[in-house]
Amino acid sequence: MIGTAHKRRAGFTLIEALIALALLSIVVVKITMVLNAASKANSKESAAMALEDQARRVLDQIAYAIMSADRDALFPDPQSPAYTTEVDYEFSLGVDENGDVIWSDPEHIGLDGSKVVWKQNPDMPAERKVAWCNVVRPFLQGEIDNSLDDNDNGLTDEQGLSFTLFKDAVTIRLCLERPNKDGTATTEAVETVVTIRN
Amino acid sequence: MKIIGQRRHGDAARRGGALILSLVAVGVVGVLAMAFLQLSASVTRRQVGAVDTKLAFYLAEAGLTESYAGVLVGRTGRVGSETDPAVYGEGLLWVERDVIDGDHIELKSTGMAKTGRATLGVVLERGTPNVKGLGVFSLSNLIIGPGTTVDGFDSSVGTYAEHLAMDPALMELARLGSNANVTVSATPTDPTVIKGDVIPGPASSVVEAGDPTITGNTTNESVTAEVFPAIVIPTVPMFGGVTHGAGVPLIVPSGSFGAAYLHLAANSDVTLQGPLTLVLGGLQLASDSQLLFDTTNGAINLYVSNYLDVDPAALLVTTGEKANDVMISIDGDVPVEFESAGPFYGMIYAPDATVVLANGFELFGAVAAATLDIANGATLHYDAALAAIGAEEELPKKVSWRIVDLPQAVPKSLTKDPFDELGVDPDLLANPADAHEDQTIHVRYIPPAGPPAQNYDGLESGFNWNNVKYLLSLKRDGGLVDGDLAEIADDGGLTMTVK
C-alpha cells in the first residue's frame, strides 16, 4: 500500500508543468524587461555623460585659447544679438629681451559642418588642422532656423558653436548632439564666459 | 524506518537547479554592474581631473593677483616658493619672478589642487612716472601774483561750465604746490582767489601778502620733496624745419614724427590732429597766429627742446575739454612765457625750465615747472581728473598674459595630495597675503601714543605694523612708497601706491 502511494506521486502532471512554465515565463519576461530598461537607461546616461564630458573638454580647450588671445586682433566687436561661429586669434608666448610681446602663429577655431576645427596658420602652406569634435548640433539647443530668438538668449539663429563679445568678456556656447540607436538623440549644451587677458 | 525512507524520497523529489539559475542571474547582473562602474569611474576620473585642473588654474590666477597687488606697493612679486608655498583653500600656490630688463619683469604663478596643476605667467612693464597729480607745481619758490584766480573741476564728472552751474563749492579742487615756499599776493584792486589747497615744500610755508583768499589747506605734513621725472623724448622720424605763412591753414596729420622747428608766421594757422606725437627742436608763434590742438580723434603729445616763443597775441587753442588729451613737454632750460588768451585745455611740463603764465592766459589742466611764475591776472583751472589718470599711469602695466603649463593628463588616483607631493604641512603654511618675500623697509611713523615720529630700518618681517598710527613715509628696498600722510585703519588696512 505505501509503495503504491509513492509511485503515484512521482513526476508532475501536464497541467502542473504548463502552469509552472507559464509562471516561469512571466518571471523571466519581467526580469528581462527590467534588465532591458536598466540597460537602456544605463546606455542613455552613459552616452549623456560621455557627451557632456566631450562638450566640456572642447569648451575648455576653446576657452583657454581665447583667454590668451590678443583682444585687438581677435575679431570685430559683435554685440548681442550678433554672434560669430569662428574666431581668428594669436596668443602671447611671452616677451623678448626688449619687452615686446611675441605672438604665436595665427590660429583659427570654427565650425566645419558639424565639426569644431582648430587650424594653425589657416589658409597657408604650413596649415595644420585638427578636429576637436564632430557632433556639433546645427543650431544651439532650443533654436531653429527662423530668424527669431527662440531660446531668448539675445541671439538669432545661432549655430551649435557661437561666440559673442561684450567688452572683454567672450561668451562661448557649444551644443553637441549624438544620434542614438533607437532613433532618438542625446543633446548636451554647455556655455562659459571668459575674459580676454591680453 | 519507512518514514525516513519517505523523507529521503521527498528530499530527492524537491532537488532542483533554482539556486544555480539564481547564481547565474546574479553573476550576469554583477558583471554588467562592474562594467558600468568601470565606465563611470573612468569618466569620473576624467571629469574630476578637469575640475581639479580648473581649481589649479584659479589658484594660479589668485597667485598672480596677489603678486601683482604686492608689486603695486613696492614688493618684489615673489609669493612663497616651491619648497614653502602659500596655502589657499584646498590647494597651494607660489609665484616666482624673473627680471627681463630694467622695465619688465615676468611673474610665474603655479597652483596645485588635488590632481590638478597649472602655471600662468604675466609680464609687467614699469609704469610711467608723471606729475599730473601735482596740479600747479614749482620745484623752486612758487610766486602767485595779484589778480590770479585758481580753482578746480573734474573733467571725468563734467565740464567746467557744468561745475559752475551745479555748485560753486565743487570748484574747490585747486591744487598748488612747491618744494619751497609759496608766495600768494593780492591787492584790493586785484584780489587773488584760490579755491583749494596751497601746499608748500617740506619745512617751508605759504606766505600771504595782501590778504588773498585761500579756501583749502596751506600746510604740508610730508617730509619728502617731489622729484620730477626726466622727459624721455620718443624716437620718431625727423624732417627739416617748417615755416608756415598766412593763408591756407596747415594741417599736421596724426602720427609720430618730428621737425627741426615749426614757425608760425603772423596771421597763420596750424592745426595739429590727434592722435599725434610731435617732436620739435623749436616752436615759434608770431603775432595773431593760431596753433590749434584737434583732439577729436586722439591725444596730442608735443615735445619741444630748444626754444618755445609764443607771442602775446598768439593763440593756443584746443578743441576738446579734457586736459589729459594735450601734453606739452619742454625739455631743457627753455624759458617759456604763455600770455595768449586761450582757453587752453592741457598740461604743460617743464622740469628744467622757467614757465611764466602771464596776464590773460587761461589754463584748464595742470602745469609743472622747475620755476613757475604766475603773473597778475592769470586764470588757472586745475583738472582734478588728472590726479587719478596720473596715478593709474604710474602703476605697472600688464603687457602679456599666458598659460605656461596646463597638464591635462587623466589622473590614475582621485586622492592625490599636492601637500604630500611637495612634502609640506598645510597647517604650517602661510596664506598668500602673508607669504610675500621679505624685504628691507625704512619706515617713518607716528606711534599710537603720539609724536615724536619714529624710524625703523630692517626686514619687514621684524616690524610690527600695530605700532603705527600715522605713516609718514615708507620705502621698500629703496623704492619710495607714497609718502603722503596715511592713517592705519582700525582693521589694519592701509592703501599705498608706489612712486
Side-chain angles (χ1 to χ4, degrees):
Chain A
M1 295 288 283
I2 294 171
T4 306
H6 282 302
K7 281 180 184 171
R8 254 192 249 126
R9 285 195 290 273
F12 295 100
T13 65
L14 182 59
I15 293 176
E16 287 172 343
L18 285 173
I19 292 172
L21 196 61
L23 287 173
L24 185 64
S25 302
I26 292 170
V27 171
V28 167
V29 165
K30 283 292 183 190
I31 290 173
T32 305
M33 284 172 64
V34 169
L35 281 177
N36 203 29
S39 175
K40 278 185 183 173
N42 174 31
S43 297
K44 191 175 176 185
E45 284 306 310
S46 298
M49 279 172 57
L51 196 63
E52 186 188 0
D53 178 52
Q54 184 180 19
R56 293 232 170 257
R57 276 190 291 115
V58 174
L59 192 69
D60 285 346
Q61 277 180 293
I62 299 172
Y64 290 136
I66 298 289
M67 277 181 206
S68 312
D70 179 13
R71 167 68 177 85
D72 294 331
L74 186 61
F75 53 80
D77 284 341
Q79 299 289 321
S80 294
Y83 71 96
T84 179
T85 60
E86 57 186 14
V87 295
D88 290 288
Y89 62 95
E90 296 174 2
F91 60 89
S92 170
L93 296 172
V95 297
D96 60 17
E97 62 275 6
N98 298 321
D100 298 322
V101 180
I102 301 173
W103 298 104
S104 68
D105 290 335
E107 297 189 358
H108 168 95
I109 298 174
L111 275 183
D112 182 6
S114 63
K115 298 181 188 175
V116 174
V117 174
W118 168 87
K119 295 180 188 175
Q120 187 183 57
N121 293 313
D123 302 323
M124 295 182 193
E127 178 183 291
R128 294 198 305 162
K129 190 161 67 171
V130 175
W132 282 349
C133 80
N134 56 6
V135 287
V136 180
R137 196 171 184 269
F139 291 93
L140 204 67
Q141 195 170 28
E143 191 68 38
I144 55 176
D145 188 10
N146 60 357
S147 303
L148 294 174
D149 181 11
D150 302 296
N151 52 13
D152 291 327
N153 64 357
L155 303 177
T156 305
D157 295 348
E158 66 278 16
Q159 295 185 25
L161 173 65
S162 71
F163 304 88
T164 51
L165 180 73
F166 182 66
K167 295 184 181 178
D168 286 338
V170 180
T171 302
I172 310 168
R173 298 178 176 90
L174 176 67
C175 186
L176 305 185
E177 187 170 78
R178 191 188 293 276
N180 299 323
K181 290 177 183 173
D182 60 359
T184 60
T186 301
T187 305
E188 286 293 333
V190 290
E191 174 180 322
T192 190
V193 181
V194 299
T195 303
I196 301 172
R197 288 156 166 81
N198 280 310
Chain B
M1 293 283 290
K2 285 178 182 176
I3 293 172
I4 293 171
Q6 282 177 337
R7 280 187 187 153
R8 284 180 182 161
H9 262 288
D11 286 340
R14 284 195 292 273
R15 206 172 286 150
L19 182 60
I20 296 172
L21 284 174
S22 302
L23 284 174
V24 169
V26 166
V28 167
V29 170
V31 167
L32 283 174
M34 285 299 297
F36 175 70
L37 271 173
Q38 267 201 326
L39 170 65
S40 35
S42 69
V43 172
T44 300
R45 266 200 299 271
R46 193 160 51 228
Q47 289 179 336
V48 167
V51 169
D52 291 346
T53 299
K54 268 196 188 155
L55 275 176
F57 178 91
Y58 292 131
L59 276 173
E61 283 232 286
L64 279 184
T65 303
E66 182 64 41
S67 173
Y68 180 66
V71 169
L72 293 182
V73 293
R75 297 183 187 274
T76 63
R78 293 188 186 92
V79 178
S81 65
E82 189 169 359
T83 53
D84 186 21
V87 63
Y88 193 60
E90 294 180 331
L92 50 84
L93 61 90
W94 70 89
V95 184
E96 300 163 340
R97 182 185 103 151
D98 297 320
V99 176
I100 298 173
D101 61 22
D103 292 327
H104 297 89
I105 61 171
E106 181 171 27
L107 305 173
K108 282 186 189 168
S109 174
T110 302
M112 294 176 71
K114 297 177 187 173
T115 62
R117 180 177 177 133
T119 303
L120 306 177
V122 68
V123 174
L124 301 181
E125 182 179 77
R126 186 187 301 277
T128 308
N130 61 76
V131 295
K132 292 181 180 178
L134 294 179
V136 179
F137 196 92
S138 173
L139 287 179
S140 60
N141 292 329
L142 175 61
I143 302 169
I144 301 171
T148 301
T149 302
V150 185
D151 58 12
F153 71 109
D154 189 339
S155 62
S156 65
V157 174
T159 64
Y160 181 79
E162 288 169 351
H163 278 70
L164 267 181
M166 278 191 289
D167 184 354
L170 294 173
M171 318 300 289
E172 296 187 12
L173 296 174
R175 185 174 173 85
L176 292 90
S178 170
N179 276 349
N181 293 321
V182 179
T183 303
V184 184
S185 304
T187 66
T189 53
D190 293 314
T192 294
V193 177
I194 299 176
K195 295 182 179 179
D197 298 334
V198 181
I199 310 296
S204 300
S205 59
V206 175
V207 179
E208 299 179 33
D211 194 24
T213 301
I214 302 174
T215 65
N217 185 24
T218 57
T219 58
N220 185 4
E221 302 290 345
S222 172
V223 297
T224 310
E226 298 293 343
V227 176
F228 280 179
I231 292 177
V232 178
I233 296 185
T235 304
V236 296
M238 295 295 292
F239 301 94
V242 175
T243 299
H244 183 63
V248 177
L250 172 66
I251 309 286
V252 178
S254 58
S256 298
F257 39 80
Y261 57 81
L262 175 62
H263 293 169
L264 280 68
N267 299 303
S268 64
D269 290 326
V270 173
T271 298
L272 307 180
Q273 284 188 333
L276 173 65
T277 299
L278 182 62
V279 177
L280 298 174
L283 175 62
Q284 185 181 74
L285 277 68
S287 175
D288 293 322
S289 64
Q290 176 178 285
L291 183 61
L292 175 66
F293 294 79
D294 183 356
T295 58
T296 308
N297 296 321
I300 297 174
N301 285 296
L302 174 62
Y303 298 84
V304 181
S305 303
N306 299 327
Y307 57 88
L308 176 53
D309 297 331
V310 181
D311 188 272
L315 287 178
L316 284 172
V317 185
T318 53
T319 57
E321 295 188 2
K322 290 199 171 172
N324 193 54
D325 287 343
V326 175
M327 180 76 159
I328 299 178
S329 300
I330 304 162
D331 188 29
D333 186 7
V334 177
V336 180
E337 181 169 342
F338 293 96
E339 199 171 350
S340 66
F344 180 78
Y345 287 80
M347 177 148 185
I348 301 168
Y349 182 49
D352 300 310
T354 297
V355 173
V356 177
L357 303 179
N359 183 10
F361 184 72
E362 186 173 20
L363 169 71
F364 294 80
V367 54
T371 302
L372 184 59
D373 188 349
I374 302 174
N376 306 10
T379 307
L380 308 178
H381 314 285
Y382 171 57
D383 186 352
L386 288 172
I389 294 170
E392 189 172 336
E393 289 178 358
E394 289 187 341
L395 297 177
K397 296 178 190 48
K398 185 184 66 178
V399 172
S400 158
W401 181 97
R402 66 187 178 112
I403 296 173
V404 178
D405 187 21
L406 198 64
Q408 297 289 323
V410 177
K412 292 181 183 174
S413 167
L414 295 175
T415 59
K416 196 174 178 185
D417 190 330
F419 299 98
D420 291 338
E421 186 177 335
L422 295 183
V424 295
D425 182 351
D427 294 329
L428 300 178
L429 297 177
N431 62 49
D434 297 327
H436 286 269
E437 185 179 33
D438 207 1
Q439 287 176 274
T440 302
I441 61 173
H442 168 78
V443 186
R444 183 168 172 76
Y445 63 97
I446 295 178
Q454 306 287 320
N455 293 316
Y456 172 83
D457 286 284
L459 291 176
E460 188 164 3
S461 57
F463 183 69
N464 186 357
W465 284 98
N466 291 326
N467 293 336
V468 177
K469 180 61 176 175
Y470 292 98
L471 177 68
L472 299 177
S473 71
L474 170 66
K475 286 184 181 180
R476 281 201 170 100
D477 283 346
L480 177 66
V481 184
D482 193 318
D484 287 345
L485 184 67
E487 180 172 358
I488 309 288
D490 289 339
D491 63 358
L494 172 68
T495 302
M496 299 174 287
T497 54
V498 175
K499 283 192 173 177

